[in-house]
Amino acid sequence: MAIVQMSKFKLIIFSNNRNALLHELQNFKYVHFHNLNEDNIQKEIGFSHIDVDDKLTFINEEIQKVSFAIETLSSYETKKTKLEEIKTGIASYELTEVEKAVNSFQFDHFYRKFRELISEKEYLENSIEKILMRINELSPWLSITEPVSQLHSFQHCTVEIGNIPKKLKKNIEQQMEQLKLTVYSFICEDKDKLNVLIVAHRNEVDQVQEILRNNSFSRSNLNIQDTPEKEISRLQTEMKQMREKLQTIKTKLQELAIHMRELQLLYDYLMMVKLRISTNQNFLATDYFNIIEGYVPTKLTNEFTQTLQNNLGEDYYLDLNVADDEDPNVPILLENSKFAQSFESLTEMYALPKYKEIDPTPLFSIFYLLFFGMMVADIGYGALMLIGTYFALKLLKLTNKQRRFIRFFYYLSYSTIFWGIMYGSFFGDVIAMPAVIHATEQYNLLLILAIALGVVHIFFALAIQGYMHIKNGRFIDALFDVGFWYLTLGGGIAYLLSLFVNIPAVIKMIGLVIMVIGMIGIVATGGRESKGLGGKIGGGLYSLYGISSYIGDFVSYSRLMALGLSSAFIASAINMMVGMLFDLGFIGILFGIVVFIVGQAFNIFLSILGSYVHTIRLTYVEFFGKFYEGGGKAFKAFQSEPKYIQLK
């Protein structure tokens, strides 16, 4: 349960062996490459970076093609139900199985056929859209029973077809009545427009044009030979034929969607190829040699060396040594028990430890478990968490990340049930149960317990800080930065307790003396790194002022009580409303059941969310703040994270 020990390697190989070696190392997986392009010294002696821009451009284009095919064909794929997806989970493959499947899949032929179908589909859809627009344009003119081409063939008359704003109807009627040789008809109207057909004698054409201009006339270009009705019928027949062709294309696309699994495998494979190509940018090269540096877990160095030998024979030079604790480039890989692994995401969310630090995950996990359960604290809520997570872990095929997340709440459910038993809470007070602590009555006891747990939490964090000093050979720092604070805080707590609890006077005096000794020690040593007597005293006094932050830290643990009480009170309020509804008879009972389920579900959500967040806060601020620095670089395994599959 610690940070995995790393070994640093420096490898020199022939350039023509690089690609094959990277392929084998991707199977090995546990290698983290160091970026040598940042090493200007080696560049000065003749090495240069490896240019892979053209290869990356090509592979990105291939990835885009595959991604487009997956996205498009997903709507034609026979979908599994959500339950089936959860049950079957994500398929697992060996890397060799992925490569074999990809090599047998003729993607270029597939993609040409796919693009032809997509292009034809887009053409037909655009054509259908244009036909629909044309039908909409012609529909208002269905009452025209003569071929439109004949309307424009009069020798002595001009025909105008178009629309005017509906609000100008009276204006055009009044003005048209002044004309003797012109007739007009309003064909149809909608919300805003009137469609009008005007037959104007050539002697009155100019007057008609003037009237139309003054009334915002918009000419409609029907541009057809036959009647609108017959033209619409022809268009509908044409559109029907196009839709039949479109359906045929969709059927062919559904047939192509059968290859969705191959496409997904190809996508994840290409992402791994892209990783291999981009990794070359970390190396330096001459015309004949490549220089590669990186890190591997020390326990896997034999397997790493064997991989090199199997691939390169004797054609390489390797310098392999255990990484220096002070090396800032050493990547961090955590290795914990199944229980502690469930809490690693919290460490990663804050910051990975530096290589010379310790992994705080197993150290805070027990406290996190304890505090979370104390804030949710309900047998019913914990039982639901336990049952749900247990069956999810047993029945569902989950990714490693999903399994770790669900296992996290699986462990938390036990603490929730334990504290529910302590408080005698089962969905609030729906069932009267014996309690060790009556949370809604014994507030003071609960507050004292919360702060006492906080004291243990902080003292444990200080102990870790002391251990780190001793581990690194700084025994004096352990005494000055931890020992004196133990004396100050421990003595202060004993002295304060004597003011409220009847204890022997000698304990009160011992507590006071210990506290004073600790405070003097802090003042005397807190500014030891400053120059000059004044700086040392000032630094010491400032260090002692830090006692105020400890007081604030202790008070912060009152949230353990506050959230536990809020959850209990909300649950009790819901139960009270349900009881009132039950008194109203059958209908009230039905509504009461709904209120109970919805209300308790909402309270579970709030309780879990609030406890999750506030326990993180106690961990990051009050606990990590005492000893943990963080800032380590994550170990980047030489495999891309698959999107559609799991790699074994």
Side-chain angles (χ1 to χ4, degrees):
M1 297 190 297
I3 299 171
V4 175
Q5 186 183 48
M6 290 289 164
S7 290
K8 184 176 182 179
F9 70 87
K10 185 171 185 177
L11 178 66
I12 299 177
I13 63 172
F14 289 110
S15 299
N16 57 0
N17 291 334
R18 184 182 66 245
N19 292 332
L21 176 62
L22 289 178
H23 180 273
E24 291 304 312
L25 288 179
Q26 201 160 48
N27 279 310
F28 173 69
K29 181 180 178 180
Y30 287 100
V31 56
H32 175 104
F33 294 106
H34 175 55
N35 187 0
L36 289 175
N37 279 304
E38 298 172 356
D39 191 341
N40 293 320
I41 295 177
Q42 297 194 74
K43 286 184 179 180
E44 290 174 2
I45 62 175
F47 287 94
S48 61
H49 78 280
I50 299 172
D51 186 6
V52 293
D53 290 345
D54 291 341
K55 291 181 179 180
L56 281 177
T57 299
F58 173 76
I59 203 69
N60 282 329
E61 289 174 353
E62 292 298 298
I63 290 171
Q64 288 177 358
K65 289 179 183 178
V66 178
S67 181
F68 174 64
I70 291 173
E71 183 180 349
T72 303
L73 293 176
S74 62
S75 59
Y76 299 96
E77 185 185 16
T78 302
K79 297 289 185 181
K80 295 179 181 178
T81 64
K82 288 294 182 183
L83 183 59
E84 287 175 334
E85 287 181 357
I86 293 173
K87 284 182 177 180
T88 57
I90 298 177
S92 296
Y93 295 87
E94 296 281 357
L95 186 54
T96 53
E97 293 177 316
V98 175
E99 292 175 337
K100 183 178 179 180
V102 167
N103 291 332
S104 63
F105 179 47
Q106 298 178 342
F107 176 70
D108 289 340
H109 174 73
F110 171 91
Y111 192 74
R112 282 195 298 272
K113 185 176 181 181
F114 166 74
R115 283 301 310 177
E116 289 172 1
L117 291 173
I118 291 299
S119 298
E120 190 174 356
K121 173 178 171 290
E122 290 173 350
Y123 170 76
L124 290 172
E125 287 175 340
N126 290 333
S127 298
I128 290 171
E129 185 66 26
K130 290 178 181 178
I131 289 174
L132 287 172
M133 292 174 61
R134 188 59 176 156
I135 290 174
N136 288 334
E137 291 175 357
L138 295 175
S139 294
W141 308 101
L142 285 172
S143 58
I144 298 177
T145 56
E146 297 296 326
V148 173
S149 59
Q150 293 183 10
L151 295 178
H152 296 289
S153 62
F154 299 140
Q155 293 182 358
H156 302 290
C157 294
T158 298
V159 176
E160 292 287 354
I161 301 174
N163 60 75
I164 61 169
K166 190 175 181 179
K167 61 183 180 180
L168 299 178
K169 180 180 180 180
K170 289 185 178 179
N171 288 349
I172 201 168
E173 285 178 335
Q174 292 173 357
Q175 294 173 33
M176 285 295 183
E177 287 176 0
Q178 306 299 320
L179 304 176
K180 298 179 180 179
L181 302 177
T182 297
V183 294
Y184 68 94
S185 174
F186 293 116
I187 304 299
C188 68
E189 64 181 67
D190 58 23
K191 182 180 179 181
D192 300 312
K193 296 183 299 182
L194 285 170
N195 291 307
V196 60
L197 186 149
I198 302 169
V199 181
H201 191 273
R202 62 186 178 184
N203 294 334
E204 295 180 346
V205 167
D206 291 341
Q207 293 171 276
V208 170
Q209 294 291 346
E210 181 68 21
I211 292 172
L212 294 179
R213 278 195 298 271
N214 293 336
N215 288 276
S216 303
F217 177 77
S218 177
R219 186 173 286 103
S220 297
N221 184 16
L222 299 186
N223 195 27
I224 57 176
Q225 297 297 316
D226 219 323
T227 64
E229 182 178 5
K230 290 182 178 180
E231 181 65 17
I232 288 175
S233 178
R234 186 191 67 78
L235 289 172
Q236 287 175 337
T237 300
E238 184 179 348
M239 185 170 61
K240 181 181 178 182
Q241 294 172 348
M242 288 184 175
R243 282 178 170 161
E244 289 173 353
K245 291 180 181 178
L246 189 59
Q247 186 57 48
T248 301
I249 291 174
K250 289 180 178 180
T251 301
K252 292 180 179 179
L253 288 172
Q254 287 175 344
E255 294 172 357
L256 290 183
I258 296 173
H259 298 285
M260 183 63 74
R261 174 53 63 188
E262 288 96 324
L263 288 170
Q264 292 173 342
L265 286 170
L266 179 58
Y267 177 88
D268 285 332
Y269 172 76
L270 289 175
M271 292 301 293
M272 286 185 275
V273 173
K274 180 181 177 180
L275 177 62
R276 286 206 300 268
I277 294 172
S278 61
T279 297
N280 284 274
Q281 296 173 322
N282 293 315
F283 312 150
L284 290 176
T286 64
D287 291 338
Y288 302 102
F289 297 102
N290 287 170
I291 228 175
I292 301 171
E293 286 188 9
Y295 301 85
V296 295
T298 301
K299 63 183 180 180
L300 297 177
T301 52
N302 289 337
E303 187 177 341
F304 173 69
T305 304
Q306 189 63 48
T307 300
L308 297 180
Q309 291 177 351
N310 292 342
N311 188 261
L312 302 173
E314 299 297 326
D315 297 334
Y316 70 94
Y317 167 79
L318 176 66
D319 181 24
L320 182 63
N321 298 290
V322 174
D324 185 351
D325 287 350
E326 299 299 326
D327 184 353
N329 295 314
V330 181
I332 304 302
L333 184 63
L334 303 181
E335 185 177 56
N336 287 298
S337 65
K338 185 181 290 186
F339 171 77
Q341 279 180 359
S342 303
F343 295 82
E344 283 180 358
S345 61
L346 300 179
T347 302
E348 294 167 357
M349 189 162 56
Y350 182 84
L352 285 170
K354 291 183 177 178
Y355 190 60
K356 63 181 179 179
E357 287 188 295
I358 60 173
D359 178 12
T361 308
L363 303 175
F364 78 77
S365 56
I366 296 296
F367 286 102
Y368 193 100
L369 186 78
L370 186 67
F371 293 162
F372 181 93
M374 191 175 180
M375 284 191 269
V376 181
D378 188 277
I379 299 171
Y381 295 176
L384 288 178
M385 289 172 60
L386 177 62
I387 294 169
T389 54
Y390 176 80
F391 282 105
L393 292 170
K394 290 294 183 182
L395 301 179
L396 305 182
K397 290 187 177 180
L398 306 168
T399 64
N400 293 331
K401 188 177 292 186
Q402 291 169 337
R403 183 168 293 277
R404 188 173 297 182
F405 178 75
I406 292 177
R407 193 185 293 122
F408 171 72
F409 286 100
Y410 171 75
Y411 290 127
L412 294 177
S413 67
Y414 286 102
S415 177
T416 302
I417 293 172
F418 168 77
W419 283 104
I421 293 172
M422 293 291 290
Y423 294 173
S425 176
F426 184 84
F427 291 104
D429 55 358
V430 70
I431 297 177
M433 299 187 69
V436 178
I437 301 174
H438 293 279
T440 56
E441 299 174 5
Q442 296 174 290
Y443 311 115
N444 292 335
L445 177 60
L446 193 57
L447 178 60
I448 292 170
L449 176 61
I451 294 178
L453 289 172
V455 171
V456 174
H457 199 216
I458 289 175
F459 273 41
F460 184 65
L462 284 172
I464 299 171
Q465 183 185 13
Y467 166 77
M468 292 296 298
H469 284 318
I470 294 171
K471 177 187 174 185
N472 294 321
R474 299 193 298 267
F475 299 99
I476 295 299
D477 290 342
L479 173 62
F480 292 167
D481 295 337
V482 178
F484 285 143
W485 275 111
Y486 267 138
L487 294 176
T488 301
L489 296 174
I493 291 171
Y495 179 76
L496 288 174
L497 282 176
S498 68
L499 301 178
F500 301 98
V501 181
N502 187 17
I503 59 177
V506 66
I507 296 179
K508 177 180 179 181
M509 181 57 64
I510 292 173
L512 180 60
V513 171
I514 291 175
M515 180 181 69
V516 172
I517 292 172
M519 294 174 73
I520 293 172
I522 292 170
V523 173
T525 63
R528 61 187 180 277
E529 295 181 358
S530 301
K531 295 181 179 180
L533 181 60
K536 293 180 184 298
I537 295 174
L541 290 173
Y542 182 78
S543 296
L544 181 61
Y545 178 72
I547 197 171
S548 61
S549 68
Y550 278 97
I551 295 172
D553 290 343
F554 292 144
V555 173
S556 293
Y557 289 89
S558 62
R559 69 185 70 236
L560 297 175
M561 174 199 71
L563 264 73
L565 288 177
S566 66
S567 176
F569 283 135
I570 292 173
S572 297
I574 293 168
N575 295 336
M576 187 182 298
M577 288 189 291
V578 171
M580 294 169 63
L581 288 170
F582 273 31
D583 292 337
L584 300 178
F586 179 74
I587 300 298
I589 291 173
L590 292 179
F591 277 103
I593 293 172
V594 173
V595 170
F596 179 81
I597 294 173
V598 174
Q600 293 289 356
F602 182 67
N603 193 34
I604 291 173
F605 172 75
L606 286 182
S607 298
I608 292 176
L609 179 62
S611 301
Y612 174 80
V613 171
H614 286 291
T615 309
I616 287 178
R617 196 264 181 202
L618 291 174
T619 301
Y620 289 172
V621 179
E622 278 70 31
F623 191 68
F624 281 2
K626 303 298 178 291
F627 71 93
Y628 187 54
E629 183 179 354
K633 300 178 181 179
F635 183 91
K636 295 181 180 178
F638 191 39
Q639 276 188 5
S640 58
E641 188 70 28
K643 183 177 181 179
Y644 298 105
I645 63 172
Q646 286 193 91
L647 288 175
K648 296 178 182 178

